[in-house]
Every structure is written in C-alpha cells, then in structure tokens.
Amino acid sequence: MTAEAPAGAASGWRGGIGQGLAYGALGLPLAFVALPLYVILPNYYASEFGIPLAALGALLLGARLLDAVADPWIGRLTDGWFAHSGRRVIVAAVIAAVVVAIGFRALFFPMVTGTASLLAWCGAFLAVTYLSYSVLSVLHQAWGARLGGDEGQRARIVSWREGLALAGVLVASVLPSVTSMSVSTATFALTLALGVALLTRAPQPRVGDGAPAPPLMFEPLRTPAFRRLLAVFLVNGVASAVPATLVLFFIRDRLQAPSFEPLFLASYFAAGALSMPLWVRLVARFGLERSWLVGMLLAVAAFIWALGLGAGDVVGFALVCIASGIALGADLTLPGAMLAGVIQRAGHGERLEGAYFGWWNFATKLNLALAAGIALPLLALFGYTPGARDPSALSALSIAYCLLPCVLKLTAVALLHFLWLRPPAGPTPALPETVR
C-alpha cells in the first residue's frame, strides 16, 4: 500500500516556513475555539449562571450529535465550492469565520437571563458555532489534501496544520485563566481573521471550472482503502480519546497532584507539536504506515509505564506525558497524510476531498463519544467516583486509564498490519488517466 500516485499537479507547494504558515495558520484559531467549547463552556454555564448539569449535559450531547451528523453533508457542500471556483471557497471561508466568531462570543456573553432562556440561547449558538466551525475545518483539510504530493509532502502539509492547531490548544488552555473570556474571544476573532487572510496567500489547490460537483457524498464509503483506513483510525482514535477523557481524574486521584495539571498538559501538547518534524523525517525513511505503527507502539510503552505510578509520581508522569505527546504527533500527522494518498489513488483527487474529510471528521467526533461511553461506565461499574481514595477504585482508574488504551492501541496495530500493510487480496482497479 505504499505505492504512490503522482502528485496531484495542483500544488504550488514548495515547502518552507512561509508557505507552511500561510496554509497552517488557520489551524491555530480552529483548535483555539474547540477547547473552550468542549472543556470550559460546561463549567462556565454551571458556575456563572447556575444551569443544572443534567440539562446542560443533554443540551451539549444534542449539539455534538448534530455537529457529527452534519459533517458528511458539510463535506459534500465543500466539494461543490471547490468544483465551482476558488473565489467561492474563499467567500465560504470568510462567511463561516464571521459566523463562528459571532457565535463563540455570544456563547460566553449571553444577552438573556433565566434558566430556560439561557438553555435556548446556548443551544442555538452552539449549533451555529459548531456548524460554522465544521465548515472551516473540513474546508481547511480538503484544501491541504488537494495540494497533492508524495508521502513526504503530504506529511509536511498536515504537520503544519496540526502543529499550529496544537499551538492553538496551548493558547486556549492558558489564556482564559490568565486574562478573561472577553480577551479570549477577541483573541480568537483576530487570529481567525489572520488565518483566513493567510489562507488566501497559501499555495492554491486546483479548483473546478464552475460545473456542479457530482452528488457523491457516500462514494468514500464505497472505497475499500478508505474503509480499511477508517477502521484503523476509529480504533486508534478511541484508544487516544480514553486517556484524554480520564487524564484529570488520574492526575487528581491516582497521582494526587492537581497543582501540576498545567505542567502535565503543557508538556503533552508541546511534545506533540515539537515531534512533528521528527515524524516527517521518519516518513522519508520508513513510509507513512510504518511510522504510524511506531507511534502507536510508543503510546503503548508510555501507558504501560504509567500503570506503575502512584501518589506523588510527578516526574514519572511528566515523562509519560512527553512520550504520549510524541505519539500524539504521529496520530495527528500521519493518518491525514495517508487519507490524502487514498483519495489520490482512488481517482477522487480534486473532486471529493470534502466528502472524505466530512466522514473523517464524523469518525473523529464519534471517537470522543465512544471513549466516554466505554470508559466512564466501566469506571462506575468497578466502584470509582471522582475523589475516591479506596485502593480498589484507584486500581480500576489505573486499568481504565492505562491498560484499556493499550488493548485498543494494540488492536489498531493489528488492524494496520493486516488491513493496510498486508491488505486482503483482490483486484486493483485501474486508475483514471488523470491520476496515473
């Protein structure tokens, strides 16, 4: 599965910091808005406005389900914009950016009072913000995939996008606590405007001639290579999302080191961002698939080490965060580059990138839901509750945080080996003339 179709010929990509920043800059504000929506908003509405957690949880679940289900349809719209003209793509990006900036600001500064009115306000602007955010995300990913290139180039393109996204996560995790939500929302709006402006100066993907794109939203699911890659991506994604869901419980109760949360999280995300050039270099030597496999095995080694940690093991867990952060760099850089190759080899380059990334983002959001749906009920079943100090409850927490991700990661390793490195035998369809 490592043979390459020639580059998509659309790319003016020559590499370098200027082009990398021009394309990747939009990743920073997109990640910046994602963290507050998922982490800060629930606590904000509960503590500032007294919204009941049960009602807030139901509202957030509904908004997130709407967001996930909408992604394939957003992908279809994105393909239509690319099929029409570059101008339409930019106009769509500008409109989506304005909407998401307004929605994000409105969520944290509601103009209504009362529980029912606040819930209605939050629900309406969550839907608006999530959907416009998803439009920008899918458009940005499809733009990068349309730049084409060999494995190394695709990995570099994705690493710029995801590396700057990790920078956005770091900023979003610190800024609200050291300034205010007013400053944070203004910072987001400014970085978003800069990201869209820089995108207009990035290497331009080839776009259509104004003819409508064919209605092929479900075509990616009919592509065997995409189904195989998606299976690996789903299992590996759940494996990564489980510890992300449980990490604060592990720090506070197993390690009993809540004051070190910022250090642990910063070391994790910084290691992920700084490791991306390393993974790009490994791709040049070993290829995308084997490099991703190395990243998965590194994550397994890190979490096996974490299983032996207990109260006060701050240095040991900081090393776990660094090692698992380096593995995160592989998860963020390599699967997206592999997907771009699948699109090229299937003959869908410059036509269906949006559809593929719509389903890809749907799977990403499904990972988060599955992780919570698997890990949290298991913990409750084995007697763990937040704040527990009972040895059996803490053992259950360690098993869920450390061993469950290892089992899932090793399953993903097996799937990558058998479904991708040694795919099922079958006829290989001829590529269209345009991608040979």
Side-chain angles (χ1 to χ4, degrees), residues 271-290:
L274 294 173
S275 72
M276 287 184 175
L278 166 67
W279 293 112
V280 172
R281 289 177 68 88
L282 283 180
V283 167
R285 185 178 179 90
F286 299 111
L288 287 166
E289 300 90 344
R290 288 175 175 80

Side-chain angles (χ1 to χ4, degrees), residues 251-345:
I251 293 170
R252 293 169 184 175
D253 295 339
R254 185 63 177 177
L255 300 179
Q256 298 177 30
S259 61
F260 288 92
E261 284 176 12
L263 169 67
F264 294 144
L265 296 178
S267 62
Y268 174 72
F269 290 119
L274 294 173
S275 72
M276 287 184 175
L278 166 67
W279 293 112
V280 172
R281 289 177 68 88
L282 283 180
V283 167
R285 185 178 179 90
F286 299 111
L288 287 166
E289 300 90 344
R290 288 175 175 80
S291 298
W292 191 20
L293 190 145
V294 170
M296 293 181 191
L297 293 176
L298 175 60
V300 171
F303 285 110
I304 289 292
W305 170 264
L307 187 63
L309 300 179
D313 287 332
V314 172
V315 174
F317 192 66
L319 294 175
V320 169
C321 291
I322 292 170
S324 58
I326 294 171
L328 171 70
D331 284 341
L332 293 177
T333 304
L334 307 182
M338 291 170 65
L339 175 57
V342 167
I343 297 169
Q344 287 182 21
R345 290 190 293 269

Side-chain angles (χ1 to χ4, degrees), residues 409-433:
K409 282 278 183 182
L410 290 174
T411 303
V413 166
L415 289 173
L416 182 63
H417 178 76
F418 290 108
L419 295 184
W420 195 263
L421 292 172
R422 292 187 177 181
T428 301
L431 288 175
E433 198 66 36

